[in-house]
Amino acid sequence: MMGIVKNNWKFGRISCYPWKAAVCIALSVGLLASPIHVSAGKSKEQKGSRAEAPEISGEAAVVMEASTGAVIFRKNGKKKHYPASITKIMTAFLAAESCGLEELVTVPPEAVYMEDKGTHIALDAGEQLTVEQCLYAVLLGSANDAAYALAAHAGGTAENFVRRMNEKAEELGCRSTHFTNPHGLPDKEHLTSAYDMALITRAAIKNETFREVSGTQYYEIPPWEHQKDLICINNHHKMIRNTPFHNEEVFAGKNGYTDAAGSTLVTCASRDGVELICVILKADGAQIYQDTEKLLEYGFAEYPKEKVEEMKEQCGKIIETAAQAFRARRNLWETAEDRKAQEQGKRNNGDTKGQETLENKNSGEEGQERGILENGNAGEENTENEKKEEEKAGEEGNNRKEAQEPKITETDWSAYFNGLNGAAVLYDASKMQYYIYNQE
């Protein structure tokens, strides 16, 4: 059941942490006095670069450094566009995460009889492929029938899988993305942005299977009992396949095209330990590869390995400073809350004793003596109650401290930021993690 791989490059796995910020820490003005700066080209969105950013024909583009998420270049980075077949990056990524490679995928009729099938590998209803073979068909051959079959298998139904695609996009921090299908065929509600596709690709290349499959030049699906044909698949990405645009530094990517979307392209390249993600949307024909080449050269020039390592170190320092600021604010809040509770308890005790004294004055000597005795007992009981309340408050405070104690990990620097506007440190209360947020 294994297919044949030819001219495939394998690269190591990278560690990254997806962004999902929930609550912004209120930081002092001086906290980010020395922001992390991202060099970028001079354009309407970028100023102050050391080098002139290249002009490109595509309507939207982003170049992102993979390990830090730093945006090196952007043009209409968050403007919504149709993605076409680069949608399949998310489809393949989710399937690779959730399925075993040897699982059998049965092709449903809906995958065969789509109204506008577009690019396909002529699968028939009832045929069976492995998940691995489907991944090659999807990422190399851009097969819409295989994408639908894989989605239906991984999600139970294609519709359920699309819901998971949108959930994953939101988890990764995508704010301009909404998927309606697993293949990218035209739909007016099926939209993304260059920035969001960079985020999705950044997560996908963390997956070893995705990286290996996406970087393969050629693959064959052999015939067998439940699929009678030899299926030969070339990678449609011209910088991976042996074409005039071939680039040995490119290790993953996906192309796309529809009349509505124009040409779309995602390209991942590595040089001297630095990995870049380049996304271009709504471009014309072969020009998209020339523009990608220019953007990659610009990105590697702006972000040599030494600069990336320096950024990681600075990110770590900012996160530690944010952690200290959060702990200080938390301690102040707890102190204020404890004082408020103690003052409220004293007022309540004072009101109770005052009422008892008034009642005692209206009674006779016998009642007065009885009241004094009762007050003495009540005072002892109140003292005991106060001690218990203080102990309880202390326990709750310790529990609150334990629950809110931040978990600063070595991957927390892997966040999204833009040095041109400074960096805002965010705290995710649900995961108790710190992040640096890209302020655009």
Side-chain angles (χ1 to χ4, degrees), residues 16 22 31 33 58 70 86 130 142 160 195 202 213-214 234 280 311 317 347 371 412 431 437:
C16 63
L31 176 60
I86 61 174
T130 65
S142 203
N160 188 51
Y195 180 72
R202 183 176 180 232
V213 171
S214 183
N234 283 301
I280 301 180
M311 284 167 38
K317 291 177 181 178
R347 282 197 296 271
D412 277 344
K431 292 185 177 180
Y437 175 53

mmCIF file of all heavy atoms in Angstrom, residues 16 22 31 33 58 70 86 130 142 160 195 202 213-214 234 280 311 317 347 371 412 431 437:
data_model
loop_
_atom_site.group_PDB
_atom_site.id
_atom_site.type_symbol
_atom_site.label_atom_id
_atom_site.label_comp_id
_atom_site.label_asym_id
_atom_site.label_seq_id
_atom_site.Cartn_x
_atom_site.Cartn_y
_atom_site.Cartn_z
ATOM 1 N N CYS A 16 7.203 25.230 17.812
ATOM 2 C CA CYS A 16 6.540 26.528 17.869
ATOM 3 C C CYS A 16 5.294 26.403 18.721
ATOM 4 O O CYS A 16 4.840 25.314 19.001
ATOM 5 C CB CYS A 16 6.197 27.049 16.477
ATOM 6 S SG CYS A 16 5.029 26.027 15.576
ATOM 7 N N ALA A 22 -5.885 36.103 25.260
ATOM 8 C CA ALA A 22 -7.205 36.392 25.785
ATOM 9 C C ALA A 22 -7.253 37.682 26.575
ATOM 10 O O ALA A 22 -8.151 38.489 26.390
ATOM 11 C CB ALA A 22 -7.680 35.230 26.640
ATOM 12 N N LEU A 31 7.713 49.443 30.461
ATOM 13 C CA LEU A 31 7.956 48.015 30.303
ATOM 14 C C LEU A 31 8.563 47.690 28.951
ATOM 15 O O LEU A 31 9.476 46.908 28.829
ATOM 16 C CB LEU A 31 6.640 47.236 30.477
ATOM 17 C CG LEU A 31 6.723 45.729 30.235
ATOM 18 C CD1 LEU A 31 7.715 45.102 31.189
ATOM 19 C CD2 LEU A 31 5.366 45.100 30.364
ATOM 20 N N ALA A 33 10.129 49.796 26.878
ATOM 21 C CA ALA A 33 10.903 50.960 26.463
ATOM 22 C C ALA A 33 11.862 50.612 25.339
ATOM 23 O O ALA A 33 12.245 51.469 24.548
ATOM 24 C CB ALA A 33 11.692 51.504 27.650
ATOM 25 N N GLY A 58 1.228 40.691 -7.070
ATOM 26 C CA GLY A 58 0.116 40.139 -6.299
ATOM 27 C C GLY A 58 -0.554 41.193 -5.442
ATOM 28 O O GLY A 58 0.088 42.135 -4.964
ATOM 29 N N ALA A 70 7.744 36.553 13.194
ATOM 30 C CA ALA A 70 7.944 37.957 12.842
ATOM 31 C C ALA A 70 7.597 38.179 11.372
ATOM 32 O O ALA A 70 7.990 37.412 10.502
ATOM 33 C CB ALA A 70 9.392 38.362 13.099
ATOM 34 N N ILE A 86 -4.682 26.564 -1.967
ATOM 35 C CA ILE A 86 -3.823 26.599 -0.776
ATOM 36 C C ILE A 86 -4.648 26.300 0.482
ATOM 37 O O ILE A 86 -4.090 26.061 1.549
ATOM 38 C CB ILE A 86 -3.074 27.937 -0.636
ATOM 39 C CG1 ILE A 86 -4.038 29.115 -0.494
ATOM 40 C CG2 ILE A 86 -2.123 28.141 -1.800
ATOM 41 C CD1 ILE A 86 -3.335 30.441 -0.202
ATOM 42 N N THR A 130 -4.991 4.898 1.107
ATOM 43 C CA THR A 130 -4.566 5.158 2.486
ATOM 44 C C THR A 130 -4.582 6.668 2.736
ATOM 45 O O THR A 130 -4.573 7.474 1.800
ATOM 46 C CB THR A 130 -3.147 4.620 2.745
ATOM 47 O OG1 THR A 130 -2.218 5.355 1.940
ATOM 48 C CG2 THR A 130 -3.057 3.135 2.442
ATOM 49 N N SER A 142 -2.985 18.371 -5.913
ATOM 50 C CA SER A 142 -4.101 19.299 -5.664
ATOM 51 C C SER A 142 -5.445 18.672 -6.023
ATOM 52 O O SER A 142 -6.355 19.344 -6.526
ATOM 53 C CB SER A 142 -3.893 20.597 -6.456
ATOM 54 O OG SER A 142 -4.612 21.665 -5.883
ATOM 55 N N ASN A 160 -18.383 18.321 9.033
ATOM 56 C CA ASN A 160 -17.794 18.339 10.365
ATOM 57 C C ASN A 160 -16.305 18.670 10.292
ATOM 58 O O ASN A 160 -15.773 19.391 11.151
ATOM 59 C CB ASN A 160 -17.988 16.986 11.045
ATOM 60 C CG ASN A 160 -17.563 16.998 12.498
ATOM 61 O OD1 ASN A 160 -17.969 17.857 13.270
ATOM 62 N ND2 ASN A 160 -16.730 16.043 12.880
ATOM 63 N N TYR A 195 -1.747 36.911 5.759
ATOM 64 C CA TYR A 195 -1.235 36.743 7.114
ATOM 65 C C TYR A 195 -1.768 35.461 7.753
ATOM 66 O O TYR A 195 -1.020 34.683 8.360
ATOM 67 C CB TYR A 195 -1.611 37.953 7.961
ATOM 68 C CG TYR A 195 -1.123 37.884 9.395
ATOM 69 C CD1 TYR A 195 0.230 38.035 9.691
ATOM 70 C CD2 TYR A 195 -2.002 37.670 10.440
ATOM 71 C CE1 TYR A 195 0.688 37.966 11.000
ATOM 72 C CE2 TYR A 195 -1.555 37.604 11.753
ATOM 73 C CZ TYR A 195 -0.212 37.757 12.027
ATOM 74 O OH TYR A 195 0.241 37.690 13.324
ATOM 75 N N ARG A 202 2.681 28.035 9.167
ATOM 76 C CA ARG A 202 3.658 27.974 10.266
ATOM 77 C C ARG A 202 3.354 26.796 11.187
ATOM 78 O O ARG A 202 4.254 26.099 11.661
ATOM 79 C CB ARG A 202 3.625 29.284 11.032
ATOM 80 C CG ARG A 202 4.655 29.364 12.149
ATOM 81 C CD ARG A 202 4.621 30.735 12.798
ATOM 82 N NE ARG A 202 5.606 30.800 13.871
ATOM 83 C CZ ARG A 202 5.338 31.194 15.096
ATOM 84 N NH1 ARG A 202 4.124 31.564 15.425
ATOM 85 N NH2 ARG A 202 6.283 31.228 16.009
ATOM 86 N N VAL A 213 5.719 15.232 2.968
ATOM 87 C CA VAL A 213 4.833 15.092 1.803
ATOM 88 C C VAL A 213 4.899 16.335 0.926
ATOM 89 O O VAL A 213 5.058 16.247 -0.299
ATOM 90 C CB VAL A 213 3.388 14.824 2.260
ATOM 91 C CG1 VAL A 213 2.432 14.888 1.071
ATOM 92 C CG2 VAL A 213 3.282 13.471 2.954
ATOM 93 N N SER A 214 4.792 17.496 1.536
ATOM 94 C CA SER A 214 4.730 18.737 0.773
ATOM 95 C C SER A 214 5.998 18.992 -0.027
ATOM 96 O O SER A 214 5.959 19.610 -1.092
ATOM 97 C CB SER A 214 4.471 19.921 1.722
ATOM 98 O OG SER A 214 4.335 21.121 1.008
ATOM 99 N N ASN A 234 2.795 14.570 -10.022
ATOM 100 C CA ASN A 234 3.865 15.552 -9.924
ATOM 101 C C ASN A 234 3.440 16.670 -8.989
ATOM 102 O O ASN A 234 2.254 17.038 -8.937
ATOM 103 C CB ASN A 234 4.166 16.160 -11.298
ATOM 104 C CG ASN A 234 4.972 15.217 -12.166
ATOM 105 O OD1 ASN A 234 6.072 14.816 -11.803
ATOM 106 N ND2 ASN A 234 4.412 14.833 -13.313
ATOM 107 N N ILE A 280 1.540 34.633 -1.245
ATOM 108 C CA ILE A 280 1.071 35.644 -2.205
ATOM 109 C C ILE A 280 -0.327 35.262 -2.661
ATOM 110 O O ILE A 280 -0.588 34.111 -3.009
ATOM 111 C CB ILE A 280 2.009 35.759 -3.423
ATOM 112 C CG1 ILE A 280 3.430 36.136 -2.985
ATOM 113 C CG2 ILE A 280 1.472 36.794 -4.413
ATOM 114 C CD1 ILE A 280 4.413 36.264 -4.142
ATOM 115 N N MET A 311 16.550 38.150 18.302
ATOM 116 C CA MET A 311 15.132 38.403 18.540
ATOM 117 C C MET A 311 14.554 37.439 19.563
ATOM 118 O O MET A 311 13.781 37.816 20.435
ATOM 119 C CB MET A 311 14.351 38.271 17.230
ATOM 120 C CG MET A 311 14.509 39.459 16.307
ATOM 121 S SD MET A 311 13.876 39.087 14.665
ATOM 122 C CE MET A 311 12.447 38.114 15.042
ATOM 123 N N LYS A 317 13.299 38.020 27.238
ATOM 124 C CA LYS A 317 13.426 39.042 28.275
ATOM 125 C C LYS A 317 12.112 39.785 28.487
ATOM 126 O O LYS A 317 11.727 40.091 29.621
ATOM 127 C CB LYS A 317 14.534 40.022 27.890
ATOM 128 C CG LYS A 317 15.931 39.427 27.947
ATOM 129 C CD LYS A 317 16.982 40.430 27.496
ATOM 130 C CE LYS A 317 18.380 39.817 27.542
ATOM 131 N NZ LYS A 317 19.409 40.778 27.067
ATOM 132 N N ARG A 347 -16.989 45.290 60.256
ATOM 133 C CA ARG A 347 -18.248 46.068 60.251
ATOM 134 C C ARG A 347 -19.424 45.189 60.615
ATOM 135 O O ARG A 347 -20.301 45.574 61.376
ATOM 136 C CB ARG A 347 -18.457 46.700 58.879
ATOM 137 C CG ARG A 347 -17.623 47.947 58.624
ATOM 138 C CD ARG A 347 -18.171 48.743 57.467
ATOM 139 N NE ARG A 347 -18.097 48.017 56.222
ATOM 140 C CZ ARG A 347 -17.060 48.045 55.400
ATOM 141 N NH1 ARG A 347 -15.998 48.774 55.710
ATOM 142 N NH2 ARG A 347 -17.075 47.355 54.280
ATOM 143 N N GLY A 371 -27.401 39.178 79.192
ATOM 144 C CA GLY A 371 -26.853 39.701 77.929
ATOM 145 C C GLY A 371 -25.350 39.776 77.960
ATOM 146 O O GLY A 371 -24.669 39.484 76.970
ATOM 147 N N ASP A 412 7.595 30.112 24.692
ATOM 148 C CA ASP A 412 6.685 31.246 24.773
ATOM 149 C C ASP A 412 7.118 32.441 23.932
ATOM 150 O O ASP A 412 6.319 33.306 23.625
ATOM 151 C CB ASP A 412 6.508 31.706 26.229
ATOM 152 C CG ASP A 412 5.481 30.866 26.954
ATOM 153 O OD1 ASP A 412 4.718 30.177 26.273
ATOM 154 O OD2 ASP A 412 5.450 30.898 28.184
ATOM 155 N N LYS A 431 -4.983 29.329 29.445
ATOM 156 C CA LYS A 431 -3.824 28.449 29.380
ATOM 157 C C LYS A 431 -2.689 28.885 30.293
ATOM 158 O O LYS A 431 -1.674 28.225 30.390
ATOM 159 C CB LYS A 431 -3.305 28.369 27.941
ATOM 160 C CG LYS A 431 -4.260 27.665 26.996
ATOM 161 C CD LYS A 431 -3.629 27.509 25.626
ATOM 162 C CE LYS A 431 -4.559 26.741 24.686
ATOM 163 N NZ LYS A 431 -3.960 26.590 23.355
ATOM 164 N N TYR A 437 2.057 40.023 21.130
ATOM 165 C CA TYR A 437 1.032 40.158 20.108
ATOM 166 C C TYR A 437 1.445 41.160 19.042
ATOM 167 O O TYR A 437 1.952 42.229 19.338
ATOM 168 C CB TYR A 437 -0.280 40.588 20.754
ATOM 169 C CG TYR A 437 -1.398 40.866 19.779
ATOM 170 C CD1 TYR A 437 -1.752 39.907 18.831
ATOM 171 C CD2 TYR A 437 -2.093 42.059 19.815
ATOM 172 C CE1 TYR A 437 -2.772 40.149 17.954
ATOM 173 C CE2 TYR A 437 -3.121 42.301 18.935
ATOM 174 C CZ TYR A 437 -3.463 41.343 17.994
ATOM 175 O OH TYR A 437 -4.482 41.578 17.124
#
